[in-house]
Amino acid sequence: MSMEVTDDLKLEIKNLILATLNIQDVSPERIDNEEPLFSGKNAITLDSVDALEIIMAFQRTYGIRIADQAEARSSLRSINSMAGFIVAEKNKQ
């Protein structure tokens, strides 16, 4: 059975990010799905240390690996890109 990008998955990713980074003053609903998370224009702004923590959380939670820096940069750009990456990787398994 193949996995699909859903609003539930996007909400799950937002909650995982907030929990992993211990962000308590932002609700998941305030995080825009398309706006880049590293730009300063979203409800949360991530840095490279945050990215490493998120990658490790994805590995633990979804059993997926991000192979290289270019792949990490594109897959972690936004909530939508994260959801798409997770679904694509899970569907390969």
Side-chain angles (χ1 to χ4, degrees):
M1 184 171 136
S2 69
M3 188 175 181
E4 294 181 5
V5 174
T6 62
D7 288 338
D8 286 343
L9 175 61
K10 292 175 189 179
L11 180 60
E12 186 177 294
I13 291 167
K14 291 175 186 182
N15 284 320
L16 178 63
I17 291 169
L18 294 174
T20 298
L21 303 178
N22 197 26
I23 298 171
Q24 299 174 353
D25 59 342
V26 175
S27 67
E29 297 76 25
R30 286 190 46 218
I31 302 171
D32 185 273
N33 288 335
E34 190 54 42
E35 194 68 48
L37 295 169
F38 294 86
S39 70
K41 295 179 183 175
N42 211 320
I44 58 173
T45 300
L46 306 180
D47 62 24
S48 58
V49 173
D50 297 331
L52 292 173
E53 291 186 51
I54 292 168
I55 289 168
M56 292 188 313
F58 280 179
Q59 289 175 353
R60 284 190 307 272
T61 304
Y62 300 106
I64 59 172
R65 299 194 73 71
I66 298 179
D68 61 42
Q69 191 173 10
E71 185 176 56
R73 190 173 293 120
S74 66
S75 63
L76 296 180
R77 189 185 84 71
S78 67
I79 298 298
N80 286 341
S81 63
M82 289 180 195
F85 178 77
I86 289 168
V87 167
E89 290 300 305
K90 292 299 283 182
N91 287 338
K92 289 180 189 175
Q93 297 176 354

